[in-house]
Amino acid sequence: MFVTTPSLGKATALPQWSVPSRCLITVLLFGLFSTLLSAQSGSATIEGRVSNAITGNYLTNARVTVVDSGKSVFTNSYGEYRISGLPEGEVNLEVFYTGLDRQSATVSTSGGKVSRNFALTNAAQYGEADDDTVLLDAFTVQATEQANDAIAINEQRFASSFKNVVSADAFGDVTEGNPGEFLKFLPGIAVDYVAADVRSVNVRGFGSSFTSVSVDGNRMASAASSGDGRNFELEQVSMNNVSRIEVVKVPTPSMPADSLGGSVNMVSKNAFERDAPEFKYRVYTSVSSENLSLGESPGPGVENSRKIRPGFDFSYSNPLSANFGFIINGLYSNQFNEQHRSRTAWQTSGGGASTANPYLRTYTIQDGPKETKRQSIGVNADWKVSENGVLSFGYQWNDYRSFFGNRNYNFGAGSNLTDFSPNHTNGIPGRGEISHGMSHRHKFGTTNHLNLDYKFYRDDLEIKAGAYYSHATNEYDDITEGHFSGVTIRAKNLDIDFGNVGVAPDQAPTMAVYDANGNAFDWQNLDNYYIDEVRSNPRDSWDEFVGGNLDVTKSFDRFKLQVGVATRNQERDILRRNNDYEFVGADGVQGNDSPAQFADEIYTDQDPFFGFDAPVYVDPRKVYAYFLANPDHFVAQTANWSDRVKADYNLEERVDSAYVQGEVKLMEGQARFITGLRYEKTSLDGLGYLYLPDGDKDANGNFLSNDPYTRERLKWLPRAQSHSSSYDGVYPSAHFIYDVNENFLVRLGYAKTIGRPNFSNVLPGTEINHDDAPAAGDPGGDITVRNPALKPYTANNFDLSLEYYFRPAGVFSVGVFHKDVSDFFGSIAKFVDEDDLDTYNLDPSLLGYNLSTKVNSGDAKISGVEFNYVQQLTKLPGIWSNLSIFANATKLDLDGGVTADWNGFIEELANWGISYSGQRFTAKVNWNYRGQQFRSFRSGLGTNGAEYYEDRLYLDLNFGYKFSKRFAVFLNARNVTNQPQVLQRYGDEMPGYAHNYQQEEFAVQYAFGIKGTF
């Protein structure tokens, strides 16, 4: 059911139970009824723990089977298992874990309750479990590396859903701690970059707003760079606190339904993963390939600094006793990045230009060095409060601080030119312009995340209860740090000619610049410019989650019933400011004051890349100091207030859910059927701006004030309009898993999921621009309106996967999937009609105006094929048996209407790599390929005009050498070939030479250091 406030839309009827839902209910009731008639065959119990004898780690999801009856259980996250209902006497057990040898044991249950632990090894590679411990220690690094693959394969093999898992150490030493650098190698996963940093993740094409991210199953807050989207930003979470990452492609009823593409869950480290205390450390330095000097050099701001930066991380775990243990993780990372940008903007109209014959109108060069500092502390403690109960506490503090000093020059030849070709543009005197701008901003973000969980295990009953709190902040600061974020200077009435256009993508065009009289113009002399405007652009926002859950699972011989309830409440508060000032100087006139007195005297003679001469820049600190001393030399722009009001929100969203899930073992345990229903209700309350076009006038149309700033405040009211809405739904799912034989299985899955709209789309806000003198037949003005009645996506997801598992650890899987998406989002432009007046709460006088908004535009279909291959090549002779290889790929087929929003979708993804894990030497070579990524449709580019990121291939390297368990050295390199990020613009008529719009280069990032384990 979808309910909105009366002024914003009409409620629809409560949905009827669908035929699939009724069938699933019937299956659940049948399974429950049949198992209630069954009885346990005995009263004896065997319990214990399963570990890796080489690494000392306890194993999650090791399968323990009673050979005589076929009954099997899996170990929990502490490596514990329990089998009850056994007859007294001798019982034969078999333990299996991917990558390790099976182990069998005969256990006597005459005492009623027996403890039996298992320590598994791979005898062919490491020797028997009871071999000399010194010998085993020589294999620890090798075994740990190979166990990473085994963990991922074992989790996928026994999962109830379509799931991929990556261990925190699987792809080497990523010292900055960004989880995205691990996630990008998983099948179907794409990460989104902001400059050189991975900021967000999407699954199977759906953007980060539709990919939920959790920690131990609980949502983690993200202030999303003070944005109004649902995307989770990875910069404020640390991989150092994580044991492994799980990606679920098709959810079960026990999982939230808002995972259109999939969901990501980061599983925290816990103290009971090991049987003894352990301290692990890394100490390293990070360096860019363009800054290898040990001394100081200019940047990233207006200062000198060292570009080779230190970092460290550690993890200390201690199972103090069989009943209590804790783990502490810490990280500090300090990294400097180069960021270079070259942009060519092509004119497609006016003069002799067309989409088929454009000319280079504007060239932009940007130098944007950046520093990034991360800090994190994570604490987890587990306490066995009773024989059957474990109380767990977790806390994470993550701190992110960055500064980016973007500096750009823009050279514009002007409009309506006629003398040009694909590789040159000749300007016309007086039409050219050069501007120099910047963005100097500090970004700060802190996340506090804590959870308290209780798990109760007794015989075949499991109860989990938990509560969590997560709070994240984000700030952008400038004047509080002593500088403006932006200063713009200009030189006009020029004649600019471009030559050697498009000689190479990484080569800037040549330029000749003249004044209006034809004299050579020195664009590197600040006296030839005037100060135009300055800007302060602070942001301050926070995001908060509070939630809890209760799950109860009852297991029988061949049936498992699970029920649960959950609630989560999210609040987002956003404040964004644009404070723009025109520089008028002492005489009060804009356009005649030289910026030379504000020249940057430190960031000089710096190579901006692309073969371009080193520019001269303005120092925003000097300009701000001048502002403080001479505030009357600056005039605030009247639009500052409306810009501020439109970016000022508060919203609160609550999601309540309940589910029932059943799992039936069929065909003597050879097949499993997992099915059930999930119910979710979403309630949203938000505050947005209210725009009153005539709010500055009285009833007679007279202005209430002569001050333009006061009039703006009367028309634009912050947080003056509220909105409340709610909707609910039932989301069925079903999974069928059939073991054709020991190594080959077939997996079928179906789930109904949803994708909630971004907050910016459902918060109230309407902007009206009147046309004071419309021509006959023209609309009276333009209206841009947000649509609080926008409904969420819904999708029916179908998956099929064939999976073959190699011994000792390997998998080859191939699958297909299909998603039928309803209520896909799209943008429309139309004339206001009678229905719109009611839907968007518009005054009747606006009938016939142009209306722009976002609507549920119809249906879309997404189909795809995916394969995944991982294998340890242990059958090869000698040292070659230490090799492992992996490869995966995803291909999408998109089908939607003309209004369908495919922003962010990537239709082709692939990863492959090879690793060597010897007793002392390790090496990893990993490739990450991402195909074209659609950004948006673009006007002015002709038929089917659109913007894409070009496909690109990244290569990452990681090497390590172990001198002893306590001391090893490592080196890693990211994007070794320095592959650029290229943004392209296409249109059916546009020639190939005009496709490249923007190219960014970030240099190769290296990290080298030492590490060890005590």
Side-chain angles (χ1 to χ4, degrees):
M1 181 170 61
F2 192 93
V3 180
T4 65
T5 51
S7 63
L8 297 173
K10 298 178 180 180
T12 61
L14 181 70
Q16 299 295 315
W17 293 98
S18 64
V19 172
S21 297
R22 279 179 264 173
C23 292
L24 294 177
I25 293 173
T26 302
V27 171
L28 288 171
L29 292 176
F30 172 78
L32 178 60
F33 177 74
S34 62
T35 52
L36 289 176
L37 297 179
S38 66
Q40 302 288 355
S41 58
S43 58
T45 298
I46 302 177
E47 60 185 14
R49 303 180 79 178
V50 181
S51 65
N52 183 319
I54 312 303
T55 65
N57 292 333
Y58 287 109
L59 301 175
T60 302
N61 277 336
R63 185 181 65 193
V64 184
T65 303
V66 180
V67 177
D68 300 327
S69 66
K71 181 177 182 178
S72 62
V73 298
F74 291 89
T75 55
N76 61 22
S77 57
Y78 310 120
E80 300 171 330
Y81 75 93
R82 176 176 295 168
I83 306 176
S84 59
L86 298 171
E88 293 194 9
E90 292 189 342
V91 175
N92 295 313
L93 298 183
E94 182 184 76
V95 182
F96 171 80
Y97 191 86
T98 300
L100 300 174
D101 297 335
R102 297 172 187 266
Q103 191 173 126
S104 299
T106 300
V107 181
S108 174
T109 61
S110 57
K113 189 173 187 179
V114 180
S115 177
R116 178 63 163 89
N117 296 329
F118 293 87
L120 308 184
T121 185
N122 185 321
Q125 288 190 280
Y126 314 123
E128 296 296 338
D130 57 356
D131 279 355
D132 184 82
T133 56
V134 175
L135 175 64
L136 291 177
D137 180 66
F139 292 101
T140 300
V141 171
Q142 181 183 9
T144 301
E145 294 287 338
Q146 295 182 345
N148 294 328
D149 288 339
I151 289 172
I153 295 168
N154 194 76
E155 289 290 311
Q156 176 179 326
R157 185 174 197 163
F158 296 121
S160 299
S161 60
F162 293 75
K163 181 165 73 171
N164 297 111
V165 179
V166 58
S167 169
D169 301 317
F171 297 113
D173 296 287
V174 179
T175 52
E176 66 180 288
N178 190 327
E181 294 296 336
F182 296 81
L183 283 166
K184 69 183 184 184
F185 293 112
L186 291 181
I189 299 294
V191 294
D192 291 327
Y193 290 84
V194 174
D197 294 335
V198 176
R199 182 166 288 185
S200 57
V201 60
N202 64 67
V203 182
R204 288 181 170 175
F206 283 96
S208 56
S209 294
F210 302 111
T211 301
S212 62
V213 178
S214 303
V215 174
D216 299 322
N218 302 318
R219 294 293 171 92
M220 176 175 269
S222 173
S225 296
S226 297
D228 43 29
R230 295 180 181 273
N231 50 303
F232 180 89
E233 296 191 346
L234 297 168
E235 61 191 17
Q236 286 182 219
V237 62
S238 171
M239 194 67 188
N240 194 50
N241 298 317
V242 177
S243 172
R244 64 184 185 276
I245 299 179
E246 304 170 337
V247 179
V248 175
K249 307 290 181 61
V250 183
T252 63
S254 61
M255 304 173 187
D258 56 343
S259 54
L260 280 176
S263 60
V264 176
N265 181 44
M266 291 176 280
V267 181
S268 300
K269 299 175 181 177
N270 73 72
F272 289 150
E273 289 180 347
R274 294 188 53 80
D275 57 359
E278 181 183 71
F279 177 78
K280 301 176 73 173
Y281 75 92
R282 292 189 303 182
V283 180
Y284 47 83
T285 59
S286 296
V287 58
S288 166
S289 60
E290 293 186 23
N291 302 90
L292 300 176
S293 172
L294 292 174
E296 292 187 342
S297 59
V302 187
E303 77 282 324
N304 291 308
S305 66
R306 287 185 170 85
K307 306 305 184 292
I308 299 178
R309 308 286 180 91
F312 68 87
D313 58 61
F314 69 89
S315 180
Y316 175 68
S317 63
N318 193 335
L320 293 172
S321 68
N323 296 323
F324 181 78
F326 69 91
I327 186 168
I328 300 176
N329 310 298
L331 174 142
Y332 173 78
S333 170
N334 189 346
Q335 186 170 284
F336 174 84
N337 290 104
E338 288 286 2
Q339 300 181 150
H340 305 297
R341 175 183 292 174
S342 173
R343 177 183 292 175
T344 52
W346 294 80
Q347 183 72 21
T348 59
S349 62
S354 66
T355 53
N357 184 34
Y359 68 84
L360 178 61
R361 173 172 177 168
T362 305
Y363 178 74
T364 299
I365 187 78
Q366 178 172 297
D367 191 9
K370 178 185 178 183
E371 66 179 7
T372 304
K373 299 178 182 179
R374 298 172 184 264
Q375 302 175 79
S376 76
I377 291 290
V379 179
N380 287 278
D382 297 282
W383 176 30
K384 289 189 175 181
V385 295
S386 67
E387 180 183 2
N388 305 108
V390 177
L391 188 64
S392 300
F393 169 79
Y395 171 72
Q396 290 188 33
W397 171 79
N398 296 287
D399 183 73
Y400 176 90
R401 297 172 181 267
S402 67
F403 171 79
F404 41 94
N406 296 326
R407 304 160 170 91
N408 62 68
Y409 267 86
N410 307 282
F411 300 84
S415 59
N416 298 311
L417 303 183
T418 57
D419 184 2
F420 59 85
S421 72
N423 47 36
H424 91 278
T425 298
N426 285 338
I428 295 177
R431 294 188 185 178
E433 178 180 334
I434 303 175
S435 65
H436 160 41
M438 65 189 62
S439 178
H440 283 222
R441 304 174 76 188
H442 298 261
K443 183 178 183 181
F444 306 104
T446 301
T447 302
N448 286 277
H449 182 93
L450 59 91
N451 63 277
L452 184 65
D453 298 290
Y454 178 73
K455 300 177 183 177
F456 178 84
Y457 304 94
R458 190 183 68 188
D459 296 328
D460 296 321
L461 179 66
E462 179 179 320
I463 301 174
K464 296 181 180 180
Y468 67 96
Y469 171 81
S470 190
H471 185 91
T473 64
N474 180 81
E475 295 180 40
Y476 284 93
D477 292 333
D478 42 59
I479 60 175
T480 57
E481 300 295 324
H483 59 81
F484 281 115
S485 64
V487 178
T488 301
I489 66 173
R490 299 185 189 278
K492 293 185 176 182
N493 301 317
L494 303 175
D495 179 5
I496 299 178
D497 299 337
F498 295 121
N500 293 328
V501 177
V503 171
D506 60 352
Q507 186 69 36
T510 59
M511 285 183 298
V513 184
Y514 308 93
D515 64 20
N517 298 317
N519 301 313
F521 180 88
D522 184 1
W523 68 269
Q524 294 174 297
N525 183 350
L526 292 182
D527 274 326
N528 290 329
Y529 296 80
Y530 70 89
I531 304 180
D532 187 24
E533 61 184 10
V534 300
R535 164 173 286 191
S536 172
N537 187 213
R539 298 182 180 184
D540 187 0
S541 63
W542 53 268
D543 186 52
E544 182 177 273
F545 275 103
V546 180
N549 64 279
L550 174 65
D551 303 275
V552 180
T553 304
K554 175 63 177 176
S555 299
F556 302 90
D557 281 343
R558 300 196 178 278
F559 182 76
K560 182 186 294 183
L561 179 65
Q562 184 174 345
V563 296
V565 294
T567 184
R568 73 171 188 263
N569 194 84
Q570 180 181 10
E571 186 172 3
R572 178 81 62 86
D573 194 88
I574 302 169
L575 295 173
R576 298 201 295 258
R577 306 285 185 263
N578 280 338
N579 298 316
D580 294 332
Y581 300 87
E582 297 173 356
F583 188 92
V584 297
D587 60 2
V589 178
Q590 186 182 23
N592 58 8
D593 291 281
S594 168
Q597 60 180 313
F598 306 121
D600 188 335
E601 298 175 295
I602 295 179
Y603 200 80
T604 59
D605 300 319
Q606 298 301 299
D607 182 7
F609 211 68
F610 305 108
F612 203 82
D613 293 335
V616 179
Y617 300 111
V618 168
D619 183 346
R621 296 184 309 176
K622 291 182 179 179
V623 180
Y624 182 63
Y626 184 91
F627 171 83
L628 293 178
N630 305 278
D632 55 330
H633 293 187
F634 298 78
V635 176
Q637 296 186 4
T638 56
N640 287 346
W641 178 254
S642 61
D643 289 343
R644 168 180 176 171
V645 170
K646 286 186 286 186
D648 193 343
Y649 324 120
N650 179 270
L651 61 97
E652 188 170 357
E653 181 181 78
R654 176 170 173 165
V655 179
D656 297 309
S657 59
Y659 72 90
V660 57
Q661 175 178 308
E663 179 176 339
V664 183
K665 293 183 179 179
L666 306 170
M667 304 171 64
E668 300 299 322
Q670 194 172 353
R672 289 183 290 153
F673 183 56
I674 302 99
T675 187
L677 302 167
R678 185 177 186 89
Y679 170 81
E680 290 192 356
K681 180 178 181 180
T682 305
S683 303
L684 178 69
D685 295 289
L687 291 173
Y689 70 89
L690 178 62
Y691 176 60
L692 303 173
D694 298 320
D696 60 342
K697 301 174 183 177
D698 61 21
N700 297 319
N702 301 312
F703 287 121
L704 297 174
S705 172
N706 292 324
D707 178 33
Y709 302 102
T710 301
R711 294 208 303 267
E712 282 292 292
R713 290 175 178 269
L714 292 173
K715 290 192 294 185
W716 295 89
L717 307 181
R719 303 194 183 192
Q721 187 174 190
S722 63
H723 164 69
S724 297
S725 64
S726 66
Y727 51 90
D728 61 2
V730 177
Y731 307 97
S733 66
H735 296 260
F736 179 75
I737 304 164
Y738 176 59
D739 293 311
V740 179
N741 55 42
E742 178 68 18
N743 299 316
F744 179 47
L745 67 82
V746 178
R747 199 184 298 267
L748 289 165
Y750 161 78
K752 183 178 181 180
T753 58
I754 62 170
R756 296 181 175 90
N758 276 334
F759 299 127
S760 57
N761 294 326
V762 295
L763 285 173
T766 301
E767 186 172 349
I768 304 170
N769 294 308
H770 297 290
D771 187 346
D772 294 332
D778 286 348
D782 299 309
I783 303 172
T784 302
V785 60
R786 294 173 179 166
N787 186 3
L790 197 66
K791 295 183 291 185
Y793 287 180
T794 58
N796 288 304
N797 307 270
F798 304 89
D799 270 66
L800 166 65
S801 177
L802 307 178
E803 303 170 9
Y804 185 83
Y805 292 88
F806 304 101
R807 295 180 180 178
V811 62
F812 176 81
S813 65
V814 61
V816 293
F817 57 89
H818 179 78
K819 298 175 182 290
D820 283 323
V821 184
S822 301
D823 294 321
F824 208 71
F825 303 154
S827 299
I828 63 165
K830 56 172 296 191
F831 296 119
V832 175
D833 58 27
E834 294 285 352
D835 291 337
D836 297 324
L837 298 179
D838 179 54
T839 301
Y840 303 113
N841 194 26
L842 301 175
D843 188 90
S845 63
L846 302 176
L847 198 66
Y849 275 47
N850 285 321
L851 173 68
S852 298
T853 189
K854 184 162 284 192
V855 298
N856 296 104
S857 62
D859 301 334
K861 299 181 185 297
I862 301 169
S863 301
V865 60
E866 197 167 83
F867 90 89
N868 182 34
Y869 171 58
V870 180
Q871 188 171 12
Q872 296 177 3
L873 305 179
T874 55
K875 300 297 184 182
L876 295 179
I879 62 172
W880 303 108
S881 64
N882 297 324
L883 290 173
S884 297
I885 56 176
F886 85 96
N888 58 69
T890 303
K891 170 68 175 176
L892 301 180
D893 180 60
L894 310 177
D895 180 14
V898 294
T899 61
D901 185 0
W902 298 112
N903 181 26
F905 276 76
I906 303 176
E907 297 185 56
E908 295 179 347
L909 295 168
N911 303 283
W912 62 94
I914 184 168
S915 63
Y916 178 86
S917 301
Q919 295 181 28
R920 293 192 180 276
F921 178 71
T922 61
K924 297 179 185 293
V925 184
N926 300 320
W927 286 267
N928 170 244
Y929 171 78
R930 46 191 293 134
Q932 273 193 343
Q933 182 177 22
F934 178 77
R935 287 262 294 176
S936 63
F937 292 112
R938 304 287 303 189
S939 60
L941 302 180
T943 309
N944 297 319
E947 188 173 86
Y948 296 84
Y949 276 117
E950 188 182 39
D951 63 326
R952 55 192 186 270
L953 178 65
Y954 289 159
L955 171 62
D956 294 351
L957 302 177
N958 189 277
F959 301 100
Y961 187 83
K962 173 191 172 186
F963 294 93
S964 68
K965 180 180 179 181
R966 297 182 178 182
F967 182 77
V969 295
F970 69 89
L971 167 69
N972 69 54
R974 189 175 67 199
N975 190 15
V976 174
T977 59
N978 196 17
Q979 182 76 14
Q981 181 171 267
V982 179
L983 189 61
Q984 296 187 320
R985 290 181 169 179
Y986 288 85
D988 289 352
E989 300 84 11
M990 284 193 70
Y993 63 80
H995 285 172
N996 277 6
Y997 170 65
Q998 177 177 287
Q999 179 158 324
E1000 294 176 294
E1001 185 273 345
F1002 309 109
V1004 182
Q1005 198 69 31
Y1006 296 100
F1008 60 92
I1010 62 174
K1011 62 180 180 178
T1013 302
F1014 290 84

